[in-house]
Amino acid sequence: QVPLVESGGGLVQSGGSLRLSCTAPGFSLDYYAIAWFRQGPGKEREGVSCILSHDHDESTFSADSVKGRFTISRDIAKNTVYLQMNSLEPEDTAVYYCAADWGCNYQLHQGDFKYWGQGTQVTVSS
């Protein structure tokens, strides 16, 4: 089991920014690909971004809907993966989950991820 914990969600106005964090207390994320998914009200869960491990050059993939606004990154020393979200829109309102597995690709398919956090709520007001 990978004990993923998300934090950083909250309420923000349209156009604002938030930074989400994903960590795993007592467990190294160094060799895992980490992804962010979200599930808005009445919507299916969708992939947002993912980042490969350091030994895979930390390559990233993002959904078209967030390209240019969201940035995924990882801090090996802090054992944390971040999702920097800028220019937030009401449509970004969702519960955001981080997930871990051995790899990811542009398809951001949730079935490819075995380990999941509990999620953090992001609400963007208009």
Side-chain angles (χ1 to χ4, degrees):
Q1 281 287 2
V2 180
L4 298 171
V5 178
E6 304 95 335
S7 62
L11 174 63
V12 64
Q13 289 188 332
S14 181
S17 298
L18 282 174
R19 189 178 75 165
L20 305 183
S21 300
C22 173
T23 190
F27 195 97
S28 174
L29 295 178
D30 289 1
Y31 298 104
Y32 285 88
I34 304 296
W36 287 96
F37 288 80
R38 67 184 181 184
Q39 188 166 16
K43 298 180 182 180
E44 294 185 355
R45 190 176 297 185
E46 63 175 353
V48 176
S49 296
C50 68
I51 185 167
L52 297 180
S53 61
H54 182 71
D55 55 349
H56 287 88
D57 298 326
E58 298 184 7
S59 296
T60 64
F61 304 92
S62 292
D64 288 343
S65 60
V66 304
K67 283 180 180 176
R69 300 189 299 125
F70 292 9
T71 302
I72 189 170
S73 62
R74 65 194 307 157
D75 186 325
I76 300 297
K78 294 184 178 180
N79 198 40
T80 301
V81 172
Y82 301 103
L83 184 68
Q84 178 67 44
M85 306 187 296
N86 299 328
S87 302
L88 283 161
E89 305 166 351
E91 293 74 22
D92 296 315
T93 294
V95 178
Y96 283 72
Y97 300 89
C98 68
D101 215 293
W102 296 114
C104 66
N105 56 50
Y106 72 96
Q107 293 179 313
L108 295 169
H109 186 238
Q110 61 177 321
D112 293 338
F113 290 85
K114 183 175 181 179
Y115 305 107
W116 291 81
Q118 294 300 307
T120 185
Q121 176 71 47
V122 171
T123 302
V124 184
S125 64
S126 57

